[in-house]
Amino acid sequence: MNIKHKMLLKQLSFSAAVLAGLVLSAPVIGQQATALAETTQTSVSSTVNTTFTGAMYTNTVSGQSMQTPQTPNGFEHSLYFQATDDSGNLEDSNYALIGDNSTYRKTIINADHYKNLTMNFTITNNTKEDKKVNEIVGLPLKDSSDAPLIYDNSRGQSSIAPEADSQSEMVLTTYIAGKEYFLPGSHPASETVPADADWSTMDRFRVRGTLHPGNSWSIKIPLRLNLTDKAALDKYLYSHNWATLTDYSYAPDDHGVELRTKARIAQQDSLSGGKYLATVENKDGSFTPLPKNVQDLMPQIGANGEIFWENLNDGDGPVQGDVQTKLFSTLDHVGFTGSFFFTWI
């Protein structure tokens, strides 16, 4: 039974893996099907769709990836997550943008295919004059005290330092447990980070100075997922818990601008392996399954490419008309845990 003369979009906020919980009204020719019922949240043992094997998902359909520097205050700023894929290739998240929640670009970090996650920040002066620099860059803990991505002091030493090709005159400070400290070499030792400091509480850093024409300054900070309990990890992978990187860029005589990007770690999800359940809706709103001879005619879920995913937005319920048409053009057959999915029937 392949009915595609009408289109239905309905968001589901839980895992697509619980196939037995999916409910679809009896598909009758000439009558639009009612919405899918919500499924039950499950663990991460669902069937994995291996269509996407990269480390960073930035939306393979809409082409809205943003991986170019921004130019507030007259010089270039690049702030993004980075990780290596299974082959050791470096992949970038969407870059931080100026704007609000409607313009920030989001990225999914593929839980099964990423390694060596870092926060990358670079500023470059491509002008012909000196540029005053005063940047405060927030790690995920700056945006949320319970953010699961924290500084990873198991990789390298418990410190941060600019990349080797950075302009050297800059002053770098870090905020650990809410207090600002100078990094060694940039201030008297009495104001540098204590030896027993807990670097996992680092929530931001600050760089100040003058960036000369043609010069740049960059830093990479290792991050790790601060979840070891399986139940907590499962809950996180199915959540909408976006980790935020923020760059507060202050110019002379200006309150500054804010750039942001968001990412979350998720596993790929799949709808393969089950059939739709045909039902009729009762007057009281309940559903009654149709007989077995009808169930035997129901198609496999996803077999005809009728499942689409909205991975990079939180969603706000069913949509119709022009809004639905625009949204549908951005959806993908690749799905991740914690995302919404839609059916085209």
Side-chain angles (χ1 to χ4, degrees):
M1 189 173 295
N2 187 13
I3 303 173
K4 289 195 175 181
H5 66 287
K6 291 193 176 182
M7 183 167 68
L8 165 70
L9 293 183
K10 173 66 171 75
Q11 292 177 319
L12 299 184
S13 59
F14 299 105
S15 166
V18 185
L19 304 174
L22 291 171
V23 180
L24 184 66
S25 69
V28 180
I29 295 175
Q31 177 183 349
Q32 186 171 356
T34 58
L36 288 172
E38 289 188 350
T39 64
T40 304
Q41 187 168 320
T42 62
S43 70
V44 297
S45 60
S46 59
T47 303
V48 175
N49 181 342
T50 58
T51 306
F52 183 83
T53 58
M56 297 285 181
Y57 174 91
T58 57
N59 197 340
T60 62
V61 169
S62 68
Q64 294 182 352
S65 297
M66 179 57 69
Q67 296 175 326
T68 56
Q70 305 299 294
T71 55
N73 300 327
F75 58 98
E76 291 185 351
H77 299 64
S78 299
L79 175 63
Y80 54 95
F81 295 94
Q82 188 177 70
T84 54
D85 62 16
D86 293 338
S87 299
N89 300 311
L90 289 172
E91 295 187 19
D92 298 345
S93 73
N94 283 316
Y95 282 30
L97 299 179
I98 304 169
D100 53 29
N101 285 326
S102 64
T103 56
Y104 298 147
R105 298 294 169 85
K106 297 178 180 178
T107 301
I108 288 179
I109 302 168
N110 197 348
D112 299 309
H113 296 281
Y114 87 92
K115 301 179 183 67
N116 304 319
L117 181 64
T118 60
M119 180 237 70
N120 289 18
F121 178 68
T122 299
I123 46 177
T124 303
N125 182 3
N126 286 325
T127 73
K128 295 181 179 181
E129 58 185 22
D130 287 344
K131 290 292 182 180
K132 292 292 184 181
V133 170
N134 184 4
E135 310 281 321
I136 297 178
V137 179
L139 277 64
L141 280 179
K142 176 68 171 64
D143 183 72
S144 173
S145 60
D146 62 351
L149 289 179
I150 64 172
Y151 178 83
D152 185 3
N153 54 15
S154 68
R155 285 154 52 197
Q157 59 184 359
S158 294
S159 185
I160 61 173
E163 295 293 283
D165 58 351
S166 295
Q167 180 177 304
S168 60
E169 296 96 307
M170 298 295 201
V171 175
L172 175 62
T173 61
T174 184
Y175 292 75
I176 297 176
K179 184 176 179 180
E180 185 177 17
Y181 295 99
F182 287 83
L183 273 297
S186 60
H187 210 265
S190 61
E191 298 187 38
T192 58
V193 185
D196 60 350
D198 182 2
W199 280 81
S200 67
T201 65
M202 175 184 170
D203 67 354
R204 73 200 113 147
F205 65 87
R206 187 174 189 176
V207 57
R208 286 167 287 183
T210 300
L211 194 61
H212 302 311
N215 285 4
S216 64
W217 187 95
S218 61
I219 192 169
K220 291 186 177 183
I221 293 180
L223 300 173
R224 65 178 173 89
L225 187 60
N226 188 33
L227 293 172
T228 55
D229 177 77
K230 186 179 184 304
L233 177 60
D234 284 3
K235 182 178 180 181
Y236 166 73
L237 292 174
Y238 281 92
S239 73
H240 292 286
N241 191 339
W242 296 94
T244 304
L245 298 179
T246 308
D247 175 18
Y248 304 95
S249 179
Y250 299 93
D253 304 318
D254 187 3
H255 292 294
V257 294
E258 180 180 313
L259 300 91
R260 286 190 170 216
T261 189
K262 296 173 179 284
R264 65 182 176 90
I265 298 175
Q267 286 189 319
Q268 287 188 67
D269 209 348
S270 172
L271 284 172
S272 62
K275 282 189 171 186
Y276 289 103
L277 176 65
T279 72
V280 291
E281 184 174 4
N282 304 314
K283 291 183 178 180
D284 63 0
S286 63
F287 294 88
T288 300
L290 292 177
K292 182 178 183 302
N293 63 328
V294 178
Q295 304 298 346
D296 291 342
L297 297 174
M298 295 301 292
Q300 292 283 328
I301 297 172
N304 295 313
E306 78 281 7
I307 306 298
F308 295 83
W309 297 81
E310 183 189 24
N311 294 293
L312 300 181
N313 294 291
D314 294 332
D316 55 3
V319 293
Q320 297 178 345
D322 292 341
V323 176
Q324 175 177 277
T325 301
K326 181 178 180 181
L327 172 62
F328 199 77
S329 68
T330 69
L331 303 183
D332 200 344
H333 289 291
V334 174
F336 291 89
T337 53
S339 300
F340 295 101
F341 66 90
F342 302 77
T343 59
W344 182 350
I345 301 173

